[in-house]
Amino acid sequence: MCGIVGAIARRNVVPILLEGLKRLEYRGYDSAGAAVLGGAADGKLQRIRSTGRVVELEKLAQAQGLNGDLGIAHTRWATHGVPSEKNAHPHVSGSVSVVHNGIIENHDAMREALRAKGYVFVSDTDTEVIAHLINSNLRDDPGSGHALFDAVRRSVAELVGAYAIAVISEADRDHLIVARHGAPLLLGLGDGENFAASDTSALIQVTQRVIYLEDGDVAELTRAAVEIVDTQGNAVERAVHVSQLSAAAVELGPYSHYMQKEIFEQPMAVANTLEMVTSAQSLAPQLFGVDAEKIFGDIDSVLILACGTSFHAGMVARYWLEGFAGIPCNVEIASEYRYRQSVPNPKALVITISQSGETADTLAALQYAKSLGHQYCLSICNVPESALVRAANLRFLTRAGPEIGVASTKAFTTQLAALALLTMVLAKMRGRLPAVRETELLKSLRHLPTALQSVLEVEPQIETWAREFVPRHHALFLGRGIHYPIAMEGALKLKEISYIHAEAYAAGELKHGPLALVDKYMPVIAIAPNDALIEKLKSNLQEVKARGGQLYVIADQDTRLTGDDVLHIIRLPDHAGLLSPILHTLPLQLLAYHVALMRGNDVDKPRNLAKSVTVE
Ligand code: M6R
């Protein structure tokens, strides 16, 4: 979950490293550091580290006049050791300097072995063992022109766990060495200069030509070339991709926060995701990959694996897949599934849902499912070339564009759009989608971006609600049926950025316990579409009202409810039948955003969290 940047050039790389780190801050932001060579007159390594954001590191770099043509940098999300200067990367051992993303699982045993060799540890991190290990291997065999490369290769063979590392040595001003296993890392190709980073956005200012490293790869970068070897030590060529990412896609533009930008980008993100469908006259399984027709024809059920917001998308999909396509569906939290003894079904389609495609628990759950004999895997993901996409035999890329705010917004609604599409394709293949209904549904998909745009117009009303939430300590979210997972998503959004304790319940569960919490200080947010369960939900709202709870209801235009002093209603200007959960999500995202803002929180970088959870 940390961010790595490395550069070797014929110019000062410090601005490149700092700019890259700023773009990677979504991966972690509790401390940062950089080490460069080539600037100091005495040829010594210059290292700076600071707690807090990259901007603090930048001040330090300016104050010290940091300068060099070879360097590595890091922004951290603490796993081993509190956020502090001594735990910030790069970690140094002798001439070797290392930045690392991931977790080294055998760090205790290695620390003991390295201590026995006389190495002294000055941090609480697992990363420091990597620095000492490389130094130790380098000392053992300092001879060749590729000494650092060889030392890194020997060292990574001893590591157990997940890592992406970048390494430089004071003794070698012409090489930058990187390696990956289980954590993302790519190379950027320049003209007389080369780079490495955790993701493409970090390098967008210097190159669009990138190579995604495979697990087990170790690469040696010089100013002129890059050379890669695989786990077996064989030289390998990896494809060069031209990134389509534009600088504008990762800029804030007229917005104050990425979350705000991403909420308002949803009509466009959904339109892009559905582009291939909305111009089509009918639905085709090939939207999910060349083998989709064959695989979809053979499956008898669906198993969805995901975490956080992506898990909520899976929960919504279960209502669609079972209710509409008539296919049995289980949805599991990936971190639970991976350690549970379950009964595999080789005829089940395993679907992983992920914004980043790098979530460690989801990846491990997929690997576990495969090890149990599951053979059909579909990845619904926002990042092409990510580990989850590569591990699946079917894939559907949501085209939300980079999502930078830690709170997931446009990734969720585009995942829902993809899952609605999948439902329709499976329903059609199973003879449950008559042509007339298919035409109607394609029409509602085409209308979805416009409907989302009109829902965003409720923002001023949501701001009024948000003011009332600012002093609250708790909130309950209620929904029924397919809108229950939307209530869960609303509660997750509010808690993660406003730090108000929020829980979601299926409204029918209220009287089985949570009703005890309701009094005049408890705001209760209910999702009230005009669907088959509305009368049931109204009874649940009466239960809240009778206990003095403050009701905040998000309803459709035609939901029959009347407002009074304990009942606040916002009516959505448009509604989309089957796609209603997608529309009802937006007011909840806006509520969380405005409450967090009014409470003075850092909306894009909430405390203790990071965007890509690449560790267990
Ligand atoms: O990248 P992924 O979709 O796999 O991430 C899963 C969760 O970590 C993520 O959705 C997280 O819950 C968000 N912070 C929610 O806003």
Side-chain angles (χ1 to χ4, degrees):
M1 342 233 293
C2 307
I4 289 177
V5 198
I8 180 162
R10 294 191 175 90
R11 56 176 164 152
N12 180 16
V13 296
V14 172
I16 299 170
L17 298 177
L18 291 172
E19 182 63 28
L21 283 191
K22 283 184 194 160
R23 295 194 195 280
L24 290 178
E25 257 192 323
Y26 73 89
R27 302 181 68 85
Y29 36 82
D30 57 41
S31 49
V36 294
L37 283 165
D42 59 2
K44 293 270 181 238
L45 181 103
Q46 296 173 276
R47 174 174 63 156
I48 54 168
R49 297 183 293 174
S50 71
T51 53
R53 302 288 161 83
V54 173
V55 66
E56 301 304 323
L57 191 75
E58 191 172 31
K59 286 182 200 155
L60 214 54
Q62 273 161 9
Q64 297 191 10
L66 195 74
N67 180 317
D69 57 9
L70 168 60
I72 53 178
H74 187 266
T75 178
R76 180 169 188 248
W77 186 84
T79 57
H80 293 66
V82 296
S84 64
E85 194 182 322
K86 77 166 183 179
N87 288 331
H89 302 208
H91 289 283
V92 169
S93 175
S95 66
V96 172
S97 186
V98 176
V99 290
H100 165 224
N101 170 28
I103 290 182
I104 302 305
E105 288 167 11
N106 58 341
H107 67 97
D108 278 336
M110 294 189 59
R111 189 176 288 111
E112 287 319 305
L114 287 159
R115 274 199 181 119
K117 286 186 175 180
Y119 287 95
V120 176
F121 285 79
V122 293
S123 80
D124 310 314
T125 66
D126 53 340
T127 304
E128 199 181 354
V129 299
I130 308 177
H132 289 315
L133 182 63
I134 296 172
N135 185 22
S136 163
N137 279 318
L138 194 58
R139 281 184 180 175
D140 290 348
D141 183 11
S144 91
H146 301 277
L148 188 60
F149 188 44
D150 294 340
V152 171
R153 285 172 53 197
R154 287 201 298 282
S155 302
V156 295
E158 297 179 52
L159 300 178
V160 176
Y163 56 81
I165 57 172
V167 187
I168 57 174
S169 163
E170 214 171 44
D172 180 352
R173 286 195 29 203
D174 295 317
H175 293 105
L176 164 64
I177 313 297
V178 299
R180 72 154 280 186
H181 180 82
L185 195 67
L186 53 88
L187 308 183
L189 306 180
D191 191 6
E193 53 189 19
N194 288 304
F195 312 93
S198 300
D199 87 26
T200 333
S201 66
L203 301 181
I204 204 161
Q205 8 116 27
V206 281
T207 185
Q208 293 203 293
R209 292 192 304 134
V210 297
I211 293 174
Y212 297 98
L213 294 181
E214 302 274 329
D215 267 352
D217 284 355
V218 183
E220 183 181 61
L221 287 73
T222 61
R223 291 170 183 85
V226 303
E227 282 174 25
I228 307 169
V229 296
D230 65 11
T231 325
Q232 277 75 44
N234 301 316
V236 284
E237 295 281 329
R238 301 278 181 228
V240 178
H241 297 259
V242 178
S243 165
Q244 299 303 313
L245 192 64
S246 70
V250 291
E251 300 294 348
L252 260 182
Y255 296 98
S256 310
H257 304 94
Y258 281 106
M259 183 179 180
Q260 181 192 31
K261 176 180 187 239
E262 288 155 11
I263 289 173
F264 282 87
E265 278 176 348
Q266 286 178 105
M268 181 57 76
V270 167
N272 288 341
T273 299
L274 295 175
E275 192 185 5
M276 282 177 304
V277 188
T278 43
S279 53
Q281 296 307 309
S282 66
L283 296 158
Q286 287 75 15
L287 290 164
F288 294 88
V290 281
D291 294 330
E293 188 163 14
K294 189 160 83 38
I295 292 176
F296 288 175
D298 197 38
I299 59 169
D300 65 4
S301 58
V302 167
L303 168 62
I304 298 179
L305 304 171
C307 302
T309 288
S310 299
F311 169 75
H312 296 154
M315 294 271 292
V316 173
R318 181 164 65 154
Y319 288 87
W320 280 332
L321 288 165
E322 295 211 343
F324 196 71
I327 186 158
C329 176
N330 275 324
V331 190
E332 296 223 26
I333 293 171
S335 56
E336 287 295 313
Y337 173 80
R338 63 182 288 193
Y339 293 117
R340 189 170 79 75
Q341 290 193 338
S342 57
V343 182
N345 170 11
K347 287 218 174 239
L349 172 67
V350 178
I351 305 180
T352 56
I353 308 173
S354 176
Q355 189 286 128
S356 62
E358 301 289 346
T359 300
D361 283 320
T362 311
L363 256 170
L366 175 61
Q367 278 148 11
Y368 178 58
K370 284 181 174 177
S371 75
L372 293 180
H374 285 285
Q375 49 178 334
Y376 299 141
C377 312
L378 163 66
S379 167
I380 295 179
C381 189
N382 197 37
V383 180
E385 298 297 329
S386 59
L388 275 167
V389 170
R390 289 200 304 262
N393 38 22
L394 299 179
R395 50 198 64 98
F396 185 96
L397 292 177
T398 50
R399 293 172 56 200
E403 189 182 70
I404 291 166
V406 164
S408 189
T409 52
K410 61 179 180 172
F412 181 64
T413 44
T414 53
Q415 286 166 353
L416 290 182
L419 289 160
L421 194 60
L422 176 69
T423 305
M424 291 173 199
V425 167
L426 290 175
K428 185 175 172 183
M429 287 184 72
R430 297 166 78 84
R432 296 173 71 112
L433 188 62
V436 179
R437 184 78 177 120
E438 182 178 359
T439 308
E440 272 171 24
L441 287 174
L442 279 169
K443 199 169 150 197
S444 53
L445 282 179
R446 276 186 211 112
H447 180 65
L448 186 58
T450 311
L452 288 167
Q453 193 64 52
S454 63
V455 170
L456 289 170
E457 287 164 19
V458 302
E459 188 181 26
Q461 296 169 71
I462 291 284
E463 277 186 77
T464 312
W465 282 13
R467 268 178 220 110
E468 298 176 20
F469 277 71
V470 171
R472 302 293 181 197
H473 297 290
H474 307 278
L476 284 181
F477 286 71
L478 300 180
R480 290 197 79 128
I482 197 167
H483 294 85
Y484 165 47
I486 300 303
M488 294 169 78
E489 175 59 9
L492 175 62
K493 285 291 88 87
L494 189 68
K495 77 180 99 173
E496 74 179 323
I497 59 169
S498 76
Y499 316 144
I500 293 174
H501 171 227
E503 295 299 334
Y505 285 94
E509 268 295 286
L510 201 57
K511 57 188 169 299
H512 298 289
L515 196 56
L517 294 170
V518 173
D519 61 14
K520 64 181 178 180
Y521 303 109
M522 177 65 85
V524 179
I525 303 101
I527 301 153
N530 191 20
D531 64 10
L533 293 170
I534 186 61
E535 291 307 322
K536 304 282 176 204
L537 182 78
K538 277 160 78 173
S539 304
N540 304 136
L541 300 190
Q542 287 304 327
E543 292 159 11
V544 173
K545 198 170 162 185
R547 273 90 189 162
Q550 295 290 312
L551 276 167
Y552 296 83
V553 181
I554 297 167
D556 285 341
Q557 278 300 323
D558 49 0
T559 305
R560 288 200 297 129
L561 281 168
T562 46
D564 58 35
D565 51 348
V566 291
L567 182 63
H568 313 266
I569 306 180
I570 289 179
R571 291 184 186 275
L572 301 193
D574 211 333
H575 83 87
L578 183 83
L579 305 175
S580 163
I582 307 182
L583 301 189
H584 278 269
T585 303
L586 272 52
L588 304 179
Q589 296 170 342
L590 285 167
L591 180 66
Y593 171 73
H594 282 291
V595 175
L597 204 60
M598 288 174 193
R599 286 170 71 113
N601 296 351
D602 187 335
V603 174
D604 287 332
K605 298 187 182 75
R607 68 186 182 201
N608 306 339
L609 301 180
K611 182 73 181 162
S612 283
V613 188
T614 55
V615 294
E616 185 174 353

